Amino acid sequence: MRHIKIFDTTLRDGEQAPSCSMHLKEKIEIALALEKLKVDVMEAGFAASSQGDFESVKAIAEKIKDSSVASLARSVKNDIDLAYQAVKGGVDPRIHIFLATSPIHMQYKLKMTPDQVLDTVANMTRYTKKYLSNIEFSAEDATRSDWDFLVKVVTTAIENGATTINIPDTVGYTTPREMYDIITYLKNNVKNIDKATLSVHCHNDLGLAVANSLAAVEAGANQVECTVNGLGERAGNAALEEVVMAIATRKKLYGGQTRIETKEIYRTSNLVYKTLGLRAPINKAIVGENAFAHEAGIHQHGVLQNRETYEIMSPESIGLPSNNMVFGKHSGKHAIHARLKELGHEITKEEMTEFFVKFKNLADKKRRISDADLLALLDHQEDISAEKEYKLDRFTINSGNNITSTAVIRLNRDGQLIEKVAMGFGPVNAAFNAINKIIKKPEYTLEDYSVQSVTDGNDSLGEATVKIRCGDDIYTGTGLSTDIIEASIKAYLNGINKLL
Ligand code: KIV
Ligand code: ZN
């Protein structure tokens, strides 16, 4: 069976989307999860776009051993130089250069003639080759380009050293049948096409990104570019988990397979959502809460007789254990350690000791502890802002329907206790105002705030998420508690600590 490569661009195209920017530690954590997921290539960023991007591509390239790490670059020497400096420490570094080929992009954006575009493709691919041989060339807005011009561009890129040719549907305009025809046309008309891997990169403006990517695979493309949870510019990119599970479920139809460790899908998806302070819509394919739930009587009956009546893939195949287990305050450390392992999380003995304390605290407040609770506790244990500037020492809230809410907050900074009191429109607002009185610099503003329950029931853990803006940067903070005011305070401090 042919090998269909998965090129993940969560850290580049995904990160480019509004409110999806990430910081170095967050990117490294996701890169390590992508490596475990066994993506063939991960695009770690766009090295020339900022110093921060350069540093993160470099750090990721040096850390990752089982996937090729790529940097995006415009077809200009300076971008290519920086991309090389950033990826060169990797095991199989790739430079991904792009240039637009559609009439509208050439005329209005590039202000170049088709001949100038062809020359640039030749020169810049050759220029990249002086650094390395793993070169990807993308014909930006390929699906709105003239097919014969595309044939010339692709032929030129391969002649000059490109080993992967990517056909992006940059604006999410194409349809599955058209994508199938474009790929077929290129295969039939580019004389040196056998010397390169043919790839696609589809955006989701019409909700067709996954369908278009799969149509390209059917036509013979051997690489799909996608992002975890379908994040990306505007409506996003093709969702990795959907593309991968479609290929795995319909292997024969596609005549190929990926090397993705599908059992890592659920964990990776959760990590990406958590990092960005987002949650999967409940009906999201593959990773949504309802993706494997059967409510209707007829369906439940069928599944009990034979799961395959209504399930085309198993929850275990994406890393979700099927049997639901419930724990309580009498549960032992070993059983919980084993359950975490089943849920895809191997933690060390020391981490388990810390985790068990948190588990016991929760079990004192909540009778039945579910998988979702365990995962939420673990997410918050793995808080990556390890070196905390400010810790919550204690808080008191006074709130009611006929009084102004007040909050007294005491924070601990390096052993020094600082306490402030503030009023607010409600208890959370009062608490945040009190924290703002303690932390005056740098200036920051609250962009977004939400609280969600982790499980059903009024003893559920509440997970609060905040987005804090400081200049152009957004920091996501999360907090967990059975008390939603405490969860909110923790989330606010978590965001501020990341910022600091
Ligand atoms: O959508 C697009 O065209 C891109 C390219 C840079 C590959 O992201
Ligand atoms: Zn894109």
Side-chain angles (χ1 to χ4, degrees):
M1 276 210 167
R2 72 186 161 123
H3 171 202
I4 298 158
K5 290 186 192 168
I6 295 296
F7 175 118
D8 178 273
T9 182
T10 308
L11 296 171
R12 199 278 296 169
D13 218 322
E15 211 250 353
Q16 245 167 261
S19 290
C20 289
S21 62
M22 295 176 232
H23 301 279
L24 180 62
K25 283 183 186 169
E26 295 169 328
K27 288 186 188 174
I28 290 179
E29 202 185 8
I30 291 176
L32 291 169
L34 293 172
E35 183 183 35
K36 251 184 153 178
L37 188 64
K38 280 183 164 283
V39 301
D40 298 273
V41 188
M42 67 177 83
E43 187 163 57
F46 184 173
S49 69
S50 68
Q51 185 62 23
D53 248 42
F54 178 87
E55 301 295 348
S56 45
V57 177
K58 188 165 183 300
I60 291 169
E62 284 165 8
K63 211 165 190 92
I64 298 300
K65 301 289 169 237
D66 195 27
S67 308
S68 165
V69 174
S71 170
L72 186 66
R74 284 168 298 183
S75 292
V76 292
K77 286 185 180 171
N78 184 53
D79 274 30
I80 297 167
D81 295 341
L82 286 168
Y84 178 65
Q85 291 308 320
V87 296
K88 70 177 181 196
V91 281
D92 180 19
R94 176 180 291 196
I95 295 180
H96 174 193
I97 53 175
F98 71 100
L99 191 62
T101 53
S102 64
I104 186 166
H105 275 234
M106 289 191 289
Q107 184 180 348
Y108 293 103
K109 189 183 81 174
L110 299 177
K111 304 197 189 325
M112 282 167 100
T113 64
D115 281 346
Q116 286 172 324
V117 165
L118 272 179
D119 280 350
T120 310
V121 171
N123 293 338
M124 290 304 107
T125 325
R126 220 176 310 123
Y127 184 77
T128 312
K129 209 170 169 210
K130 77 173 190 171
Y131 286 130
L132 42 67
S133 56
N134 190 349
I135 303 170
E136 172 166 334
F137 174 78
S138 279
E140 193 190 7
D141 206 14
T143 53
R144 291 194 298 170
S145 304
D146 174 80
W147 290 11
D148 287 322
F149 181 60
L150 205 50
V151 167
K152 284 191 196 154
V153 169
V154 171
T155 312
T156 306
I158 299 174
E159 264 167 14
N160 287 281
T163 47
T164 300
I165 294 294
N166 186 39
I167 305 300
D169 183 26
T170 303
V171 289
Y173 175 73
T174 200
T175 64
R177 178 186 270 183
E178 189 175 62
M179 183 54 113
Y180 184 96
D181 291 343
I182 295 174
I183 298 296
T184 307
Y185 195 78
L186 292 175
K187 286 190 69 163
N188 291 339
N189 292 285
V190 175
K191 61 178 191 303
N192 48 5
I193 196 74
D194 292 342
K195 296 209 177 87
T197 299
L198 201 45
S199 165
V200 280
H201 172 116
C202 299
H203 279 270
N204 205 29
D205 300 65
L206 294 173
L208 292 171
V210 170
N212 289 335
S213 305
L214 293 170
V217 170
E218 267 193 83
N222 280 332
Q223 177 179 284
V224 179
E225 301 200 354
C226 42
T227 57
V228 175
N229 304 328
L231 298 173
E233 285 278 7
R234 305 181 309 279
N237 289 56
L240 177 148
E241 60 282 1
E242 297 177 22
V243 170
V244 166
M245 290 315 288
I247 295 173
T249 309
R250 304 302 307 273
K251 259 192 222 86
K252 273 199 200 132
L253 181 87
Y254 294 111
Q257 56 196 5
T258 69
R259 65 160 204 156
I260 293 295
E261 197 63 71
T262 62
K263 288 204 158 84
E264 289 292 321
I265 284 181
Y266 188 69
R267 198 178 77 84
T268 314
S269 161
N270 262 334
L271 172 67
V272 171
Y273 276 133
K274 184 200 95 179
T275 306
L276 299 172
L278 301 172
R279 270 193 172 211
I282 55 167
N283 62 338
K284 164 83 181 63
I286 318 293
V287 292
E289 203 177 311
N290 286 354
F292 294 95
H294 304 281
E295 179 101 18
I298 299 176
H299 290 205
Q300 285 179 345
H301 178 71
V303 169
L304 285 174
Q305 305 302 314
N306 179 341
R307 276 169 71 155
E308 287 177 24
T309 49
Y310 286 98
E311 267 182 21
I312 56 166
M313 58 197 150
S314 68
E316 292 87 344
S317 65
I318 65 146
L320 264 175
S322 59
N323 53 337
N324 237 327
M325 288 189 55
V326 175
F327 296 92
K329 67 176 176 191
H330 300 299
S331 304
K333 211 177 192 173
H334 290 296
I336 292 168
H337 201 175
R339 185 60 177 172
L340 287 175
K341 201 168 164 196
E342 280 177 351
L343 292 166
H345 296 269
E346 300 242 14
I347 64 173
T348 62
K349 255 185 158 177
E350 295 74 50
E351 287 166 337
M352 186 60 213
T353 306
E354 199 189 319
F355 184 84
F356 198 58
V357 174
K358 291 195 172 168
F359 170 84
K360 283 284 183 194
N361 286 340
L362 179 61
D364 278 340
K365 296 182 190 148
K366 195 172 188 288
R367 227 161 35 88
R368 291 159 58 85
I369 297 186
S370 66
D371 287 343
D373 291 317
L374 291 182
L375 290 174
L377 279 184
L378 197 66
D379 275 354
H380 289 263
Q381 162 139 323
E382 285 167 357
D383 186 343
I384 59 170
S385 64
E387 54 307 349
K388 285 196 185 104
E389 286 264 334
Y390 290 94
K391 291 194 190 90
L392 176 64
D393 183 58
R394 69 175 187 198
F395 71 92
T396 313
I397 302 287
N398 195 12
S399 181
N401 62 340
N402 282 328
I403 55 166
T404 305
S405 298
T406 53
V408 185
I409 304 270
R410 195 161 82 182
L411 302 184
N412 182 331
R413 187 188 200 189
D414 287 338
Q416 189 202 351
L417 297 175
I418 317 162
E419 191 166 54
K420 292 284 175 197
V421 57
M423 293 190 295
F425 296 116
V428 173
N429 183 234
F432 289 3
N433 287 342
I435 293 173
N436 293 344
K437 282 188 175 177
I438 298 174
I439 302 154
K440 298 197 189 88
K441 285 253 176 298
E443 281 187 15
Y444 55 86
T445 49
L446 179 67
E447 284 257 315
D448 198 17
Y449 160 71
S450 62
V451 191
Q452 274 191 306
S453 65
V454 172
T455 51
D456 296 339
N458 56 11
D459 63 349
S460 167
L461 278 169
E463 187 174 41
T465 305
V466 297
K467 294 215 180 249
I468 292 171
R469 174 179 287 282
C470 180
D472 286 340
D473 287 329
I474 301 270
Y475 297 83
T476 303
T478 54
L480 188 74
S481 172
T482 46
D483 173 340
I484 56 167
I485 309 285
E486 185 177 15
S488 307
I489 294 172
K490 283 181 171 171
Y492 199 50
L493 280 177
N494 181 241
I496 290 170
N497 279 326
K498 285 185 184 173
L499 179 164
L500 293 172

mmCIF file of all heavy atoms in Angstrom, residues 150-177:
data_model
loop_
_atom_site.group_PDB
_atom_site.id
_atom_site.type_symbol
_atom_site.label_atom_id
_atom_site.label_comp_id
_atom_site.label_asym_id
_atom_site.label_seq_id
_atom_site.Cartn_x
_atom_site.Cartn_y
_atom_site.Cartn_z
ATOM 1 N N LEU A 150 0.045 26.280 -14.493
ATOM 2 C CA LEU A 150 0.413 25.477 -13.319
ATOM 3 C C LEU A 150 1.363 24.335 -13.731
ATOM 4 O O LEU A 150 2.341 24.038 -13.033
ATOM 5 C CB LEU A 150 -0.871 24.916 -12.696
ATOM 6 C CG LEU A 150 -0.871 24.561 -11.214
ATOM 7 C CD1 LEU A 150 -0.338 25.689 -10.343
ATOM 8 C CD2 LEU A 150 -2.293 24.186 -10.772
ATOM 9 N N VAL A 151 1.092 23.738 -14.878
ATOM 10 C CA VAL A 151 1.963 22.660 -15.375
ATOM 11 C C VAL A 151 3.381 23.202 -15.559
ATOM 12 O O VAL A 151 4.363 22.577 -15.134
ATOM 13 C CB VAL A 151 1.419 22.075 -16.711
ATOM 14 C CG1 VAL A 151 2.464 21.198 -17.398
ATOM 15 C CG2 VAL A 151 0.133 21.281 -16.454
ATOM 16 N N LYS A 152 3.494 24.422 -16.130
ATOM 17 C CA LYS A 152 4.835 25.007 -16.354
ATOM 18 C C LYS A 152 5.523 25.294 -15.014
ATOM 19 O O LYS A 152 6.717 25.037 -14.845
ATOM 20 C CB LYS A 152 4.703 26.337 -17.124
ATOM 21 C CG LYS A 152 4.412 26.163 -18.601
ATOM 22 C CD LYS A 152 4.566 27.508 -19.285
ATOM 23 C CE LYS A 152 3.905 27.445 -20.663
ATOM 24 N NZ LYS A 152 3.462 28.741 -21.138
ATOM 25 N N VAL A 153 4.763 25.832 -14.075
ATOM 26 C CA VAL A 153 5.344 26.177 -12.769
ATOM 27 C C VAL A 153 5.856 24.918 -12.067
ATOM 28 O O VAL A 153 6.987 24.868 -11.563
ATOM 29 C CB VAL A 153 4.274 26.885 -11.884
ATOM 30 C CG1 VAL A 153 4.749 27.004 -10.440
ATOM 31 C CG2 VAL A 153 3.944 28.252 -12.457
ATOM 32 N N VAL A 154 5.020 23.887 -12.056
ATOM 33 C CA VAL A 154 5.385 22.652 -11.348
ATOM 34 C C VAL A 154 6.604 22.006 -12.015
ATOM 35 O O VAL A 154 7.560 21.587 -11.346
ATOM 36 C CB VAL A 154 4.167 21.691 -11.303
ATOM 37 C CG1 VAL A 154 4.559 20.325 -10.768
ATOM 38 C CG2 VAL A 154 3.049 22.297 -10.451
ATOM 39 N N THR A 155 6.587 21.959 -13.348
ATOM 40 C CA THR A 155 7.724 21.370 -14.077
ATOM 41 C C THR A 155 9.008 22.124 -13.724
ATOM 42 O O THR A 155 10.054 21.514 -13.429
ATOM 43 C CB THR A 155 7.475 21.446 -15.610
ATOM 44 O OG1 THR A 155 6.170 20.964 -15.880
ATOM 45 C CG2 THR A 155 8.512 20.659 -16.400
ATOM 46 N N THR A 156 8.924 23.460 -13.714
ATOM 47 C CA THR A 156 10.111 24.283 -13.422
ATOM 48 C C THR A 156 10.603 24.041 -11.995
ATOM 49 O O THR A 156 11.807 23.909 -11.760
ATOM 50 C CB THR A 156 9.742 25.787 -13.585
ATOM 51 O OG1 THR A 156 9.185 25.950 -14.881
ATOM 52 C CG2 THR A 156 10.925 26.695 -13.401
ATOM 53 N N ALA A 157 9.666 24.001 -11.037
ATOM 54 C CA ALA A 157 10.076 23.805 -9.641
ATOM 55 C C ALA A 157 10.801 22.463 -9.502
ATOM 56 O O ALA A 157 11.846 22.376 -8.842
ATOM 57 C CB ALA A 157 8.863 23.867 -8.722
ATOM 58 N N ILE A 158 10.265 21.421 -10.127
ATOM 59 C CA ILE A 158 10.902 20.093 -9.993
ATOM 60 C C ILE A 158 12.268 20.093 -10.695
ATOM 61 O O ILE A 158 13.262 19.597 -10.141
ATOM 62 C CB ILE A 158 9.983 18.976 -10.551
ATOM 63 C CG1 ILE A 158 8.665 18.934 -9.762
ATOM 64 C CG2 ILE A 158 10.676 17.602 -10.486
ATOM 65 C CD1 ILE A 158 7.616 17.975 -10.303
ATOM 66 N N GLU A 159 12.307 20.685 -11.893
ATOM 67 C CA GLU A 159 13.594 20.746 -12.628
ATOM 68 C C GLU A 159 14.688 21.382 -11.785
ATOM 69 O O GLU A 159 15.849 21.025 -11.866
ATOM 70 C CB GLU A 159 13.422 21.611 -13.886
ATOM 71 C CG GLU A 159 13.128 20.804 -15.130
ATOM 72 C CD GLU A 159 12.645 21.710 -16.270
ATOM 73 O OE1 GLU A 159 12.782 22.953 -16.197
ATOM 74 O OE2 GLU A 159 12.105 21.139 -17.230
ATOM 75 N N ASN A 160 14.285 22.350 -10.943
ATOM 76 C CA ASN A 160 15.291 23.087 -10.172
ATOM 77 C C ASN A 160 15.490 22.567 -8.756
ATOM 78 O O ASN A 160 16.177 23.193 -7.960
ATOM 79 C CB ASN A 160 14.938 24.573 -10.173
ATOM 80 C CG ASN A 160 15.218 25.178 -11.535
ATOM 81 O OD1 ASN A 160 16.363 25.472 -11.864
ATOM 82 N ND2 ASN A 160 14.176 25.294 -12.358
ATOM 83 N N GLY A 161 14.862 21.449 -8.429
ATOM 84 C CA GLY A 161 15.200 20.805 -7.143
ATOM 85 C C GLY A 161 14.066 20.566 -6.166
ATOM 86 O O GLY A 161 14.294 19.996 -5.098
ATOM 87 N N ALA A 162 12.826 21.008 -6.473
ATOM 88 C CA ALA A 162 11.746 20.754 -5.505
ATOM 89 C C ALA A 162 11.451 19.256 -5.453
ATOM 90 O O ALA A 162 11.350 18.596 -6.487
ATOM 91 C CB ALA A 162 10.484 21.521 -5.889
ATOM 92 N N THR A 163 11.327 18.732 -4.232
ATOM 93 C CA THR A 163 11.042 17.301 -4.091
ATOM 94 C C THR A 163 9.595 17.055 -3.657
ATOM 95 O O THR A 163 9.120 15.930 -3.667
ATOM 96 C CB THR A 163 12.011 16.644 -3.082
ATOM 97 O OG1 THR A 163 12.064 17.482 -1.918
ATOM 98 C CG2 THR A 163 13.403 16.498 -3.651
ATOM 99 N N THR A 164 8.925 18.128 -3.230
ATOM 100 C CA THR A 164 7.484 18.045 -2.943
ATOM 101 C C THR A 164 6.806 19.214 -3.637
ATOM 102 O O THR A 164 7.295 20.356 -3.564
ATOM 103 C CB THR A 164 7.209 18.126 -1.423
ATOM 104 O OG1 THR A 164 7.883 17.034 -0.783
ATOM 105 C CG2 THR A 164 5.726 18.037 -1.111
ATOM 106 N N ILE A 165 5.714 18.928 -4.315
ATOM 107 C CA ILE A 165 4.939 19.987 -4.972
ATOM 108 C C ILE A 165 3.580 20.043 -4.292
ATOM 109 O O ILE A 165 2.857 19.046 -4.243
ATOM 110 C CB ILE A 165 4.742 19.674 -6.479
ATOM 111 C CG1 ILE A 165 6.086 19.715 -7.208
ATOM 112 C CG2 ILE A 165 3.725 20.639 -7.101
ATOM 113 C CD1 ILE A 165 6.736 21.095 -7.270
ATOM 114 N N ASN A 166 3.285 21.230 -3.760
ATOM 115 C CA ASN A 166 2.027 21.379 -3.020
ATOM 116 C C ASN A 166 1.037 22.233 -3.811
ATOM 117 O O ASN A 166 1.406 23.260 -4.367
ATOM 118 C CB ASN A 166 2.340 22.033 -1.667
ATOM 119 C CG ASN A 166 1.130 22.106 -0.780
ATOM 120 O OD1 ASN A 166 0.323 21.170 -0.751
ATOM 121 N ND2 ASN A 166 0.980 23.192 -0.050
ATOM 122 N N ILE A 167 -0.197 21.741 -3.863
ATOM 123 C CA ILE A 167 -1.254 22.438 -4.604
ATOM 124 C C ILE A 167 -2.261 22.977 -3.581
ATOM 125 O O ILE A 167 -3.146 22.252 -3.125
ATOM 126 C CB ILE A 167 -1.962 21.461 -5.596
ATOM 127 C CG1 ILE A 167 -0.931 20.804 -6.518
ATOM 128 C CG2 ILE A 167 -3.054 22.143 -6.394
ATOM 129 C CD1 ILE A 167 -0.132 21.803 -7.387
ATOM 130 N N PRO A 168 -2.097 24.252 -3.196
ATOM 131 C CA PRO A 168 -3.010 24.778 -2.179
ATOM 132 C C PRO A 168 -4.324 25.298 -2.772
ATOM 133 O O PRO A 168 -4.330 25.931 -3.821
ATOM 134 C CB PRO A 168 -2.237 25.952 -1.557
ATOM 135 C CG PRO A 168 -0.867 25.900 -2.133
ATOM 136 C CD PRO A 168 -0.973 25.179 -3.439
ATOM 137 N N ASP A 169 -5.387 25.005 -2.056
ATOM 138 C CA ASP A 169 -6.670 25.655 -2.348
ATOM 139 C C ASP A 169 -6.746 26.779 -1.312
ATOM 140 O O ASP A 169 -7.467 26.697 -0.316
ATOM 141 C CB ASP A 169 -7.812 24.649 -2.183
ATOM 142 C CG ASP A 169 -9.157 25.273 -2.549
ATOM 143 O OD1 ASP A 169 -9.158 26.223 -3.359
ATOM 144 O OD2 ASP A 169 -10.190 24.823 -2.018
ATOM 145 N N THR A 170 -5.960 27.821 -1.579
ATOM 146 C CA THR A 170 -5.697 28.881 -0.592
ATOM 147 C C THR A 170 -6.973 29.539 -0.074
ATOM 148 O O THR A 170 -7.063 29.903 1.092
ATOM 149 C CB THR A 170 -4.778 29.937 -1.250
ATOM 150 O OG1 THR A 170 -3.600 29.251 -1.689
ATOM 151 C CG2 THR A 170 -4.408 31.059 -0.317
ATOM 152 N N VAL A 171 -7.950 29.714 -0.946
ATOM 153 C CA VAL A 171 -9.158 30.439 -0.521
ATOM 154 C C VAL A 171 -10.360 29.507 -0.362
ATOM 155 O O VAL A 171 -11.498 29.966 -0.271
ATOM 156 C CB VAL A 171 -9.474 31.597 -1.494
ATOM 157 C CG1 VAL A 171 -8.459 32.708 -1.343
ATOM 158 C CG2 VAL A 171 -9.508 31.115 -2.941
ATOM 159 N N GLY A 172 -10.122 28.216 -0.336
ATOM 160 C CA GLY A 172 -11.207 27.250 -0.116
ATOM 161 C C GLY A 172 -12.279 27.322 -1.190
ATOM 162 O O GLY A 172 -13.472 27.249 -0.897
ATOM 163 N N TYR A 173 -11.860 27.419 -2.451
ATOM 164 C CA TYR A 173 -12.782 27.699 -3.559
ATOM 165 C C TYR A 173 -13.154 26.462 -4.357
ATOM 166 O O TYR A 173 -14.225 26.370 -4.959
ATOM 167 C CB TYR A 173 -12.072 28.716 -4.461
ATOM 168 C CG TYR A 173 -12.772 29.090 -5.735
ATOM 169 C CD1 TYR A 173 -13.908 29.902 -5.703
ATOM 170 C CD2 TYR A 173 -12.285 28.669 -6.970
ATOM 171 C CE1 TYR A 173 -14.539 30.270 -6.878
ATOM 172 C CE2 TYR A 173 -12.917 29.033 -8.151
ATOM 173 C CZ TYR A 173 -14.046 29.838 -8.097
ATOM 174 O OH TYR A 173 -14.671 30.212 -9.248
ATOM 175 N N THR A 174 -12.272 25.470 -4.331
ATOM 176 C CA THR A 174 -12.469 24.336 -5.238
ATOM 177 C C THR A 174 -13.510 23.341 -4.687
ATOM 178 O O THR A 174 -14.037 23.496 -3.589
ATOM 179 C CB THR A 174 -11.113 23.649 -5.551
ATOM 180 O OG1 THR A 174 -11.235 22.886 -6.741
ATOM 181 C CG2 THR A 174 -10.680 22.746 -4.411
ATOM 182 N N THR A 175 -13.818 22.346 -5.496
ATOM 183 C CA THR A 175 -14.780 21.300 -5.099
ATOM 184 C C THR A 175 -14.069 19.949 -5.254
ATOM 185 O O THR A 175 -13.051 19.854 -5.952
ATOM 186 C CB THR A 175 -16.004 21.308 -6.022
ATOM 187 O OG1 THR A 175 -15.545 20.967 -7.336
ATOM 188 C CG2 THR A 175 -16.686 22.667 -6.054
ATOM 189 N N PRO A 176 -14.611 18.884 -4.639
ATOM 190 C CA PRO A 176 -13.907 17.598 -4.717
ATOM 191 C C PRO A 176 -13.650 17.146 -6.164
ATOM 192 O O PRO A 176 -12.540 16.723 -6.498
ATOM 193 C CB PRO A 176 -14.841 16.648 -3.986
ATOM 194 C CG PRO A 176 -15.535 17.520 -2.985
ATOM 195 C CD PRO A 176 -15.730 18.844 -3.676
ATOM 196 N N ARG A 177 -14.656 17.266 -7.029
ATOM 197 C CA ARG A 177 -14.440 16.773 -8.399
ATOM 198 C C ARG A 177 -13.359 17.600 -9.115
ATOM 199 O O ARG A 177 -12.496 17.074 -9.799
ATOM 200 C CB ARG A 177 -15.741 16.828 -9.190
ATOM 201 C CG ARG A 177 -15.516 16.355 -10.619
ATOM 202 C CD ARG A 177 -16.737 16.531 -11.451
ATOM 203 N NE ARG A 177 -17.552 15.333 -11.367
ATOM 204 C CZ ARG A 177 -18.674 15.158 -12.051
ATOM 205 N NH1 ARG A 177 -19.142 16.110 -12.811
ATOM 206 N NH2 ARG A 177 -19.333 14.039 -11.972
#
